[in-house]
Amino acid sequence: MNVRTVATEPFTDQKPGTSGLRKKVAVFQAPTYLENFVQAVFDTVGVPAGATLALGGDGRYLNREAIQVILRMAAANGFGRVLVGQGGILSTPAASCVIRKYGTHGGLILSASHNPGGPEGDFGIKYNTANGGPAPEKVTDAIFARSKALTSYRILDAADIDLDRPGVQRIGEMVVEVIDPVADYAELMESLFDFAAIRELIAGGFGVCFDAMHAVTGPYAKEIIERRLGAPAGTVINGVPLPDFGAGHPDPNLTYAHELVEKMYDLDAPDLGAASDGDGDRNMILGRGFFVTPSDSLAVIAANARLAPGYAKGIAGIARSMPTSAAADRVARKLGVPCFETPTGWKFFGNLMDAGKVTLCGEESFGTGSDHLREKDGLWAVLFWLNILAKRRQSVEQVVQDHWAVFGRNVYSRHDYENLPTDVANAIIGQVRAACATLPGQAFGNYTVKFCDDFAYTDPIDGSVSTGQGLRIVFTDGSRIVFRLSGTGTEGATLRLYLEAFDVDPARQRGDAQLLLEDLILIADQISGLKAKSGRERPTVIT
Ligand code: G1P
Ligand code: ZN
């Protein structure tokens, strides 16, 4: 076997974003682009002799080809073993599970999450560390620095591995073990939730529809929901992963999961509707004609955590990203546990979970998870809901209404303005930033600004500081407007506007969020000049 050291020119744009390096497929197809990044990762994290690597992806276009390249590079860089999901498949949560269970020297996950796939779509790659979580900023910064200085990469000349054949194969000295991508994950889920109670619920006629959106969770949901929990065949829709996700946009929200949404608002809707994204870490929860915001979902899970065997002892604390609503904070207060507010992105939760400070974490962007892994976990959230419903024997809507009656409702919505010219997005942010100093004390209708800042976070565990994490305008009653630019897009800029109003009035709690937030939407526009500057009358996506 021949290890080659190939001379290469560094790229200047390999900076990992909110969740790894994401680019158009064509960018990744450029000669040595993938190789350079993988070498920068290996150089940065080091490869202890004989170390094991976990490897897999969400099955999108380029997944298999990239895996073959990475396997040859892993062999040339001194890995002793790679655990790769059969067919090149590992959902993001399953990869986190494999890294933790087998104590690997981290893993490489190939995914651009909820971004569309196919030759015209996006591809991505991220390194997760040995705790199973996304590499923290100091590691991704070091990877970026290394990528800009790279002059060569190492690769072994070898034939392709048969990714569909389970068991052991070899590349040179290195063992490649093709593993069942579902088994370890399914076993972990069975250890956390009351499968017997859920089976009984489903056997009693409780209807479920899970939309895998032709992305990675199809095989996971079929094994767990249909086989192990006994739901009828067909419960999982769009369950076959396709390289282009069936030309869809595998993002579980009200806009992109429209097939599921239509079913759930139909007369004969099932009792629970759920969807997951490209790589399986996001989730959307729906009841009959009822949408559960991800912020509420986190709060409901926290308030009912003890109903699930894996959480029967109670939770240590909760963490949520800054733009996520404060619904979870109210539950934490009642439970007498801490609630942490972190910047956007799952990587900020890792230290808190490793230190045992929090059990549950969540983001408004359809991400929920716990310390069972170090990634958010789509199916886990669905199973948690099923467990709660099996114990409470109420409808999804009733569970949420009861929750609001106890805790009040944090009325919430996110408005995304996608694909704006970068200078336009910067100008809008610039106007808000400029206004920040003069806003406190100003009244807008019923709202008075308490403070305005650019969110910064000091990690309580390692003291690292992250600045520039989003502009917050917080009102005296706790209501908020947040402006932030996306760090995961690959085209133009995406501006996110987050709106939150707290409501204790039970009569108003049932109302439509967009109507209840009307005043805040107008105030946001008044302060930012969003409509005039962007020329957009309405957001691209409302969640
Ligand atoms: C988005 C979400 C964020 C999530 C990330 C990865 O990032 O807003 O909460 O962690 O995707 O799934 P953004 O595009 O806003 O930077
Ligand atoms: Zn994802």
Side-chain angles (χ1 to χ4, degrees), residues 18-19 22 113-114 282 344-346 363-365 376 414 484 486-488 496 498:
T18 311
S19 186
R22 285 189 199 166
S113 187
H114 50 284
R282 292 188 173 195
T344 297
W346 208 260
E363 294 195 275
E364 49 64 41
S365 53
K376 59 192 176 226
R414 181 175 108 182
R484 200 185 141 261
S486 158
T488 57
R496 306 205 194 283
Y498 308 82

Side-chain angles (χ1 to χ4, degrees), residues 406-465:
V406 174
F407 295 95
R409 177 182 177 191
N410 288 69
V411 183
Y412 188 85
S413 183
R414 181 175 108 182
H415 291 188
D416 292 335
Y417 292 81
E418 293 181 346
N419 211 352
L420 290 175
T422 308
D423 54 337
V424 170
N426 288 338
I428 296 166
I429 292 286
Q431 176 159 331
V432 180
R433 183 169 283 123
C436 240
T438 57
L439 282 175
Q442 277 191 47
F444 296 85
N446 294 330
Y447 294 100
T448 303
V449 178
K450 186 173 171 199
F451 70 89
C452 176
D453 68 358
D454 197 345
F455 182 66
Y457 177 69
T458 303
D459 186 299
I461 311 302
D462 66 14
S464 58
V465 177

